[in-house]
């Protein structure tokens, strides 16, 4: 939480009232807040009725074993049936579910009727492999229609999917497969990235070299790349799925049946497998997608630019929009392929009305210039959303002006992998929006900013964000590690029973919430969570590194950039630049390209406290070219001089 951010934010006073016409037609009015606070559980029960239940619940919330929640206890439903079949049964089989746009320009249009057939076929295929409800399936795939179909097919069978972002390394995939003991991996031969076909299956083969639980690898053909083949283990998606019947009886599962595991970085090196279940999760993603994006399923064309490898892709590409029978755009590639106007071209082509993206991309668009959005007809847009990190007021205003034509409400949505769905956000027809603030908990959600003792801070003050009441989409645990679940989220405010989000926040004078970034050792790089420890472990796993300390330094485009301080082991065998390149590539190999340090500084010492804790705060001062803060707790007062002198010699 840097002081700089705080100061910038406290001088921000602009406000934008919802356009009148928008409020008049909005899905939610201010009455929703009153309704939810009058009877929170009744409000959530009403939201759960957005779904089709096979058996209705007999208790909305069981919190008797807190912090392990049970929502809609006794209820039974099938998640895939809710996202697909019921819309077809309601006569919407011809409605487009997915306008899929490949990076090279190939396209696919998938109606809800076709999606149902595809999901049924895939479910039959996975069942043929011997998978049974509760089994885990890993998915590492680019943004293909089959990726969405695979997730829904898992949901249909009660299989627990674990989607691993396509940019993660074989080592990262391997540890996730092993942690979840996945029986099957679904992947593709390759993927298109920045105009090139790059391999995928060859990388997943590296991962599956040491994953004894994997029985089969199912491979979607995308690029036509040559792949190695393990007979009896590997099977082409089209061979497994294409001849399967297009009908499949969807079994109802318990409301608390596990739906997916999604790994996210924590403060230690080992990623946490965040566990989500069925009824409560689907209720909250459907409700929030309706409320925050004001979705009108008959007329809107919705586009969330996230990747399915992140929670935003799970909740706001797959489960929320499909539960609401939305028509959406799914884009496979990078935003500047083949040119920097690609997103705007897609918005114009499909008449996108709702666009949901991340601050890092908005800042990149700013860098690329206003000519790109100006060259395309963006008049179809009526609502803009932001997610992933605090959005700077300037980026927010640029987004509203140059993409939203000054007419679209902007919703800054705060939530986490752990929360499953949006928690804090303006309501587009109700809230006067403030650039840079997520503002108010949604109806049904209880959040506060508190101090160290758990006491709510007064308006105008800062502290930590907590969630004070359980919510339906909340994580149900960390896969295989109940103690870590309690310790990480519930121990800090155990007395009050609050969920500790790990974010700093402040109230403005109206009591609106401004998020100030992580307060733990988690960095946020282009909206991706990466722990400092994870990168440090990767660095010290290289034979030339004795010790490493990693900090997130503020970065104009990516929010934070990874800066590593490395003490070399022994005499360096190569020159400094080569060494640095080697180490950057090593981190990419260990974790993935997203974790590649922006900068590696070779140092002789690291600043430590007497108890041996690295003082990252001081390293951050160096990385951000600031004057050093308080150094009095350093074990060795001379160490910072040594570092700064050493670094100035390097320039
Ligand atoms: C959905 C998602 C969660 C962390 C979260 C916070 C940051 C997300 C934000 C935001 C300020 C927003 N974050 N949205 N900070 N304003 N609108 O991003 O999940 O990848 O788990 O990251 O991202 O720091 O704690 P996840």
């Amino acid at each position: 939480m840097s002081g700089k951010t705080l100061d910038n934010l406290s001088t921000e006073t602009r406000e934008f009232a919802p356009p009148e016409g928008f409020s008049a037609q909005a899905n939610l009015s201010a009455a929703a807040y009153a309704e939810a606070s009058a009877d929170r559980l009744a409000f959530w029960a009403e939201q759960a009725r957005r779904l089709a239940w096979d058996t209705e619940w007999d208790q909305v919330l069981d919190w008797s074993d807190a912090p392990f929640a049970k929502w809609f206890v006794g209820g039974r439903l099938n998640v895939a049936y809710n996202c697909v079949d019921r819309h077809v049964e309601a006569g919407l089989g011809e409605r487009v579910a997915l306008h899929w746009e490949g990076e090279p320009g190939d396209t696919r249009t998938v109606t809800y009727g076709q999606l149902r057939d595809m999901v049924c076929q895939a479910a039959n295929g996975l069942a043929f492999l011997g998978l049974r409800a509760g089994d885990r399936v890993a998915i590492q795939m680019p943004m293909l229609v089959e990726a969405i179909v695979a997730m829904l097919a898992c949901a249909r069978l009660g299989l627990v999917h674990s989607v691993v972002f396509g940019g993660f390394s074989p080592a990262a995939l391997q540890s996730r497969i092993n942690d979840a003991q996945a029986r099957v991996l679904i992947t593709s031969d390759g993927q298109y990235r920045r105009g090139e076909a790059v391999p995928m299956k060859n990388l997943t083969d590296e991962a599956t070299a040491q994953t004894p639980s994997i029985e089969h690898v199912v491979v979607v053909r995308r690029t036509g790349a040559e792949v190695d083949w393990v007979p009896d283990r590997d099977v082409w998606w089209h061979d497994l799925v294409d001849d399967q019947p297009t009908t499949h009886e969807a079994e109802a599962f318990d409301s608390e049946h596990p739906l997916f595991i999604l790994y996210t970085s924590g403060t230690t090196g080992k990623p946490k497998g965040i566990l989500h279940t069925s009824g409560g999760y689907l209720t909250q993603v459907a409700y929030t997608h309706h409320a925050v994006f004001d979705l009108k399923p008959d007329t809107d064309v919705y586009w969330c630019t996230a990747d399915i490898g992140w929670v935003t892709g799970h909740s706001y590409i797959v489960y929320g929009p499909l539960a609401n029978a939305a028509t959406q755009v799914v884009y496979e590639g990078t935003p500047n392929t083949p040119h920097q106007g690609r997103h705007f071209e897609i918005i114009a082509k499909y008449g996108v009305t709702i666009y949901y993206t991340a601050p890092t991309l908005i800042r990149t668009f700013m860098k690329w210039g206003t000519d790109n959005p100006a060259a395309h007809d963006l008049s179809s847009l009526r609502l803009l959303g932001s997610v992933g990190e605090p959005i700077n007021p300037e980026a927010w205003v640029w987004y509203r002006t140059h993409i939203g034509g000054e007419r679209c409400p902007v919703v800054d949505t705060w939530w986490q992998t752990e929360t499953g769905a949006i928690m804090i956000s303006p309501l587009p027809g109700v809230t006067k929006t403030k650039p840079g603030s997520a503002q108010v908990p949604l109806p049904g959600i209880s959040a506060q900013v508190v101090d160290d003792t758990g006491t709510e801070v007064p308006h105008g003050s800062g502290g930590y964000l907590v969630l004070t009441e359980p919510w339906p989409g909340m994580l149900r645990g960390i896969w295989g590690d109940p103690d870590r679940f309690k310790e990480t989220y519930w121990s800090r405010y155990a007395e009050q029973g609050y969920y500790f989000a790990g974010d700093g926040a402040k109230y403005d004078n109206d009591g609106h919430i401004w998020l100030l970034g992580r307060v733990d050792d988690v960095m946020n790089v282009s909206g991706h969570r990466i722990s400092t420890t994870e990168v440090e472990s990767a660095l010290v796993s290289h034979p030339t590194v004795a010790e490493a300390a990693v900090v997130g330094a503020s970065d104009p485009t990516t929010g934070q950039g990874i800066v590593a301080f490395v003490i070399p082991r022994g005499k360096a065998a190569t020159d400094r630049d080569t060494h640095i390149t080697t180490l950057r590539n090593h981190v990419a190999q260990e974790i993935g390209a997203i974790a590649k340090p922006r900068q590696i500084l070779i140092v002789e010492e690291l600043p430590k406290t007497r108890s041996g804790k690295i003082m990252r705060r001081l390293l951050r001062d160096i990385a951000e070219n600031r004057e050093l803060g308080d150094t009095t707790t350093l074990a060795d007062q001379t160490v910072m001089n040594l570092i700064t002198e050493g670094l100035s010699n390097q320039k």
Side-chain angles (χ1 to χ4, degrees):
M1 193 189 334
S2 78
K4 210 169 91 213
T5 327
L6 249 170
D7 294 345
N8 284 349
L9 292 180
S10 32
T11 56
E12 180 56 55
T13 53
R14 287 169 283 192
E15 278 192 313
F16 299 89
E20 227 168 75
F22 197 103
S23 302
Q25 59 84 64
N27 285 351
L28 257 63
S29 72
Y33 292 107
E35 196 196 326
S37 58
D39 188 341
R40 205 170 56 86
L41 294 184
F43 177 82
W44 282 118
E46 192 185 313
Q47 303 315 319
R49 294 203 175 87
R50 298 176 176 282
L51 309 179
W53 294 79
D54 217 66
T55 310
E56 204 175 282
W57 57 91
D58 31 52
Q59 191 184 357
V60 175
L61 168 67
D62 178 358
W63 191 232
S64 59
D65 187 28
F68 298 92
K70 288 197 180 92
W71 280 87
F72 308 112
V73 187
R76 296 181 75 81
L77 81 172
N78 186 287
V79 169
Y81 172 84
N82 270 280
C83 291
V84 188
D85 306 53
R86 67 169 171 143
H87 306 318
V88 182
E89 287 168 16
L92 303 175
E94 299 294 306
R95 176 180 293 173
V96 173
L98 310 172
H99 287 295
W100 180 84
E101 176 94 11
E103 195 186 77
D106 51 335
T107 60
R108 280 173 89 174
T109 308
V110 182
T111 64
Y112 273 96
Q114 291 166 332
L115 188 61
R116 182 191 59 180
D117 292 354
M118 292 162 89
V119 172
C120 287
Q121 286 186 307
N124 286 320
L126 294 178
F128 174 80
L129 293 180
L131 292 166
R132 286 179 308 268
D135 287 345
R136 274 80 61 205
V137 174
I139 299 176
Q140 187 175 43
M141 258 212 260
M143 291 291 291
L144 303 180
V145 168
E146 286 82 358
I148 295 171
V149 170
M151 290 165 76
L152 291 167
C154 286
R156 191 175 192 94
L157 295 171
L159 306 172
V160 186
H161 58 68
S162 161
V163 182
V164 178
F165 175 59
F168 274 126
S169 67
L173 175 62
Q174 183 174 84
S175 70
R176 285 159 174 77
I177 288 175
N178 287 336
D179 187 71
Q181 291 289 293
R183 291 183 65 190
V184 165
L185 166 69
I186 308 177
T187 187
S188 69
D189 55 353
Q191 61 174 328
Y192 289 103
R193 241 31 223 164
R194 297 177 215 291
E196 265 178 69
V198 297
M200 185 154 243
K201 165 80 160 63
N202 289 353
L203 297 174
T204 62
D205 279 347
E206 271 180 52
T208 48
Q210 281 177 55
T211 52
S213 63
I214 291 288
E215 296 162 33
H216 293 287
V217 176
V218 183
V219 188
V220 174
R221 186 178 277 150
R222 172 57 181 143
T223 60
E226 273 204 31
V227 290
D228 293 336
W229 208 251
V230 179
D232 300 331
R233 186 197 71 175
D234 297 352
V235 50
W236 285 108
W237 172 277
H238 53 262
D239 287 341
L240 178 69
V241 166
D242 284 2
D243 292 333
Q244 296 289 346
T246 55
T247 51
H248 176 270
E249 188 73 37
E251 186 188 332
F253 294 99
D254 191 273
S255 178
E256 285 299 335
H257 187 79
L259 180 61
F260 66 84
I261 304 168
L262 186 56
Y263 287 85
T264 186
S265 293
T267 46
T268 70
K270 189 175 180 284
K272 302 173 281 198
I274 303 300
L275 175 68
H276 283 286
T277 61
S278 304
Y281 171 80
L282 198 64
T283 294
Q284 196 179 335
V285 294
Y287 154 67
T288 51
H289 186 256
H290 165 87
V292 175
F293 299 112
D294 192 52
L295 182 85
K296 307 288 191 282
D298 305 340
T299 47
D300 274 321
V301 179
Y302 163 86
W303 183 16
C304 166
T305 70
D307 188 284
I308 47 139
W310 309 113
V311 74
T312 307
H314 283 61
S315 301
Y316 297 105
I317 294 177
V318 182
Y319 293 111
L322 295 178
N324 289 342
T327 294
Q328 65 178 319
V329 169
V330 173
Y331 173 53
E332 177 188 34
T334 37
N336 51 350
T337 306
H339 55 78
Q340 295 174 344
R342 186 68 187 271
H343 273 218
F344 310 118
E345 189 178 79
I346 293 175
I347 291 172
K349 176 175 173 183
Y350 294 103
V352 170
T353 57
I354 303 168
Y355 180 73
Y356 188 31
T357 195
T360 181
L361 188 63
I362 297 166
R363 290 192 297 265
T364 304
F365 287 150
M366 288 171 78
K367 213 165 57 181
W368 290 344
T370 52
D371 289 357
N372 293 310
H376 298 273
D377 178 7
L378 306 181
S379 60
S380 56
L381 289 171
R382 66 179 195 93
L383 178 72
L384 301 175
S386 172
V387 62
E389 52 174 317
I391 179 166
N392 342 44
E394 282 327 307
W396 191 105
V397 171
W398 189 94
Y399 191 29
R400 181 178 179 276
T401 308
H402 295 287
I403 299 184
E406 296 189 326
R407 74 184 172 275
C408 303
V410 177
V411 287
D412 175 8
T413 62
W414 180 89
W415 58 295
Q416 308 177 298
T417 305
E418 292 86 342
T419 67
I422 299 172
M423 303 293 282
I424 304 177
S425 165
L427 281 180
V430 179
T431 317
K432 248 191 194 175
T433 51
K434 301 176 183 176
S437 171
Q439 297 184 282
V440 273
L442 288 177
I445 300 298
S446 311
Q448 279 183 20
V449 181
V450 300
D451 65 15
D452 274 325
T453 69
T455 310
E456 189 170 21
V457 302
H459 291 180
S461 303
Y464 304 102
L465 182 73
V466 295
L467 302 167
T468 58
E469 297 285 352
W471 62 101
M474 69 196 290
L475 77 166
R476 299 303 196 266
I478 294 176
W479 186 257
D481 203 343
D483 292 338
R484 191 174 176 195
F485 169 62
K486 287 192 226 166
E487 168 62 29
T488 309
Y489 306 106
W490 304 96
S491 63
R492 183 136 171 177
Y493 296 109
E495 204 180 304
Q496 297 85 352
Y498 293 166
Y499 169 92
F500 174 63
D503 279 15
K506 67 160 207 166
Y507 285 131
D508 65 17
N509 292 332
D510 300 326
H512 287 187
I513 297 171
W514 296 65
L515 278 310
L516 304 173
R518 303 285 308 182
V519 293
D520 52 16
D521 292 334
V522 177
M523 299 172 286
N524 191 327
V525 183
S526 297
H528 302 150
R529 275 163 72 173
I530 301 165
S531 88
T532 53
T533 328
E534 231 174 330
V535 181
E536 285 165 4
S537 319
L539 283 166
V540 296
S541 75
H542 196 270
T544 63
V545 175
E547 208 175 344
V550 167
V551 297
S554 64
D555 184 287
T557 306
T558 59
Q560 284 189 310
I562 304 176
V563 178
F565 295 77
V566 166
I567 304 180
R569 179 183 295 211
K571 268 235 163 338
T574 53
D575 67 274
R576 179 176 284 142
D577 287 349
T578 319
H579 189 203
I580 288 173
T581 310
T582 308
L583 293 180
R584 292 184 71 232
N585 291 337
H586 177 69
V587 174
Q589 208 175 5
E590 288 292 304
I591 307 172
I594 46 165
K596 223 181 199 182
R598 181 185 77 185
Q599 204 179 359
I600 294 184
L601 301 164
I602 306 287
V603 294
E604 283 171 43
E605 293 288 346
L606 289 171
K608 290 188 184 158
T609 61
R610 284 173 199 88
S611 62
K613 255 183 179 300
I614 294 173
M615 293 187 69
R616 290 201 177 72
R617 175 169 61 74
L618 295 175
L619 295 175
R620 217 173 290 127
D621 288 341
I622 296 182
E624 295 179 342
N625 291 318
R626 250 200 318 270
E627 217 168 285
L628 289 181
D630 184 8
T631 58
T632 49
T633 51
L634 273 177
D636 176 358
Q637 292 290 324
T638 62
V639 102
M640 289 314 289
N641 293 340
L642 229 133
I643 293 174
T644 42
E645 274 165 28
L647 290 179
S648 60
N649 293 339
Q650 279 180 44
K651 281 178 188 153

